[in-house]
Amino acid sequence: MAESKVGKAKPAVKNAAVKPRKPESRLAMVRRARRINRELAELYPYAHPELDFENPFQLLVATVLSAQTTDLRVNQTTPALFARYPAPEDMAAANPAELEEIIRPTGFFRNKAKSLIGLSIALRDEFGGEVPGRLEDLVTLPGVGRKTANVVLGNAFGVPGITVDTHFGRLARRFGWTAEDDPVKVETAVAEIFPKSEWTMLSHRVVFHGRRICHSQKPACGACPIAPLCPSYGEGETDPEKARKLLKYELGGQPGQRLRPPGDFPGEAAARADAAAHHGKVADLAGSAVAGPGAAGAVASGADLAGSE
């Protein structure tokens, strides 16, 4: 496994004052964005979908259930769900009240049950009981939008796609990749920055970072290894010791959200091993500060960003 970048943050003056950033050219932004992707790849070499699934149908259902709840909650719910309804034909014939009761912990269970039964009927009647491998077909299914379709395409069929959930959209704006709020516009803007071959793994890495470090309310700026590349450094806690306490999941010594990683994916087992190996390095961040936005501007325009993927 590639070595984590957690312990490699560049030291700087603690709690550096936020300085105005110089205007950034399109080329500089693209180079900085691609370096962020490379840094995230080293930080999360085991990035993967955190929903448990064994086939495209299970992934489709789990992704629909993941709206407005955590992947962990979905993973705790789906074993009983798939034991009762293992195939689209089974779920298409489900008693709505029974299905609602099983998925109740995920929230919005009535609407979700309606979508699950509807998409299962469509799969049974229009697609021969198989999940289609084309975006234009997937988005015709009840409860399935572009985000869900891209999750299924990228992780069940190997078709590159950018998954714009709340984490991805938030970080894309914080990283300065786009100012858009609409998920489709965010997807379009980010797709123009990165090669298509990177889209699926980029999505996993950004979501991982949003869940573990760059949180919605209290981003852990002072414990973020890519802070020198981030124009939003300072929006969150910059004190390294306080920031370290905000770290979630394996970077903070806790497991991620996946309960049953597949055998051919590093998944949670690898995340635990990586956390054990690098836990001391994570703790070391408490004794050093991360480069402030002044350094970010210098890095973004420096020669070390000349390479592209």
Side-chain angles (χ1 to χ4, degrees):
M1 176 176 295
E3 181 180 1
S4 172
K5 296 286 285 185
V6 172
K8 296 184 178 180
K10 299 177 182 179
V13 178
K14 191 174 183 179
N15 294 328
V18 176
K19 300 177 182 179
R21 285 176 55 84
K22 295 180 180 180
E24 185 179 43
S25 70
R26 169 74 180 181
L27 178 59
M29 183 276 287
V30 171
R31 287 173 171 172
R32 179 174 57 81
R34 292 184 176 191
R35 182 168 180 189
I36 286 175
N37 183 38
R38 293 195 295 272
E39 293 286 319
L40 291 178
E42 293 191 45
L43 180 61
Y44 306 111
Y46 46 82
H48 59 281
E50 293 190 272
L51 289 169
D52 288 330
F53 69 97
E54 296 178 355
N55 55 57
F57 176 65
Q58 290 189 359
L59 178 59
L60 176 62
V61 169
T63 306
V64 170
L65 290 177
S66 70
Q68 303 299 313
T69 190
T70 65
D71 286 358
L72 179 59
R73 177 65 66 184
V74 174
N75 291 341
Q76 293 169 335
T77 303
T78 50
L81 177 66
F82 295 138
R84 180 68 178 85
Y85 311 107
E89 294 80 1
D90 303 305
M91 196 168 288
N95 179 295
E98 293 180 3
L99 178 58
E100 289 173 6
E101 189 60 30
I102 294 174
I103 66 173
R104 180 185 291 268
T106 68
F108 301 96
F109 56 91
R110 290 190 179 88
N111 287 336
K112 290 180 179 179
K114 183 177 179 181
S115 293
L116 294 183
I117 292 175
L119 70 83
S120 296
I121 291 174
L123 292 178
R124 180 194 64 190
D125 297 346
E126 300 174 29
F127 297 100
E130 300 291 335
V131 176
R134 301 193 311 164
L135 186 143
E136 54 264 42
D137 292 330
L138 284 167
V139 295
T140 66
L141 302 174
V144 178
R146 287 186 66 89
K147 185 197 82 169
T148 296
N150 279 329
V151 169
V152 174
L153 289 174
N155 298 286
F157 294 100
V159 178
I162 296 172
T163 303
V164 183
D165 66 357
T166 56
H167 300 290
F168 192 98
R170 179 177 75 251
L171 269 63
R173 289 184 288 273
R174 283 181 177 171
F175 290 158
W177 297 351
T178 180
E180 299 290 350
D181 291 313
D182 179 79
V184 176
K185 292 181 179 179
V186 172
E187 180 185 342
T188 300
V190 175
E192 294 175 351
I193 299 172
F194 298 93
K196 192 172 183 179
S197 60
E198 285 291 308
W199 289 357
T200 298
M201 288 308 301
L202 171 73
S203 299
H204 292 324
R205 294 162 189 156
V206 171
V207 170
F208 257 57
H209 196 63
R211 284 175 171 164
R212 287 152 177 78
I213 294 180
C214 197
H215 314 134
S216 177
Q217 299 301 319
K218 290 185 177 181
C221 293
C224 179
I226 63 169
L229 295 165
C230 182
S232 298
Y233 174 83
E235 284 190 11
E237 179 57 65
T238 58
D239 179 87
E241 174 61 26
K242 293 179 180 178
R244 185 181 67 80
K245 294 178 180 178
L246 297 175
L247 297 182
K248 295 183 178 180
Y249 307 124
E250 63 270 15
L251 294 184
Q254 301 296 324
Q257 300 199 50
R258 192 151 197 182
L259 301 180
R260 297 184 296 108
D264 59 349
F265 232 113
E268 183 176 318
R272 287 179 181 273
D274 191 73
H278 299 290
H279 184 66
K281 293 184 179 181
V282 174
D284 287 344
L285 287 172
S288 64
V290 177
V299 172
S301 60
D304 58 342
L305 289 183
S308 62
E309 299 186 36

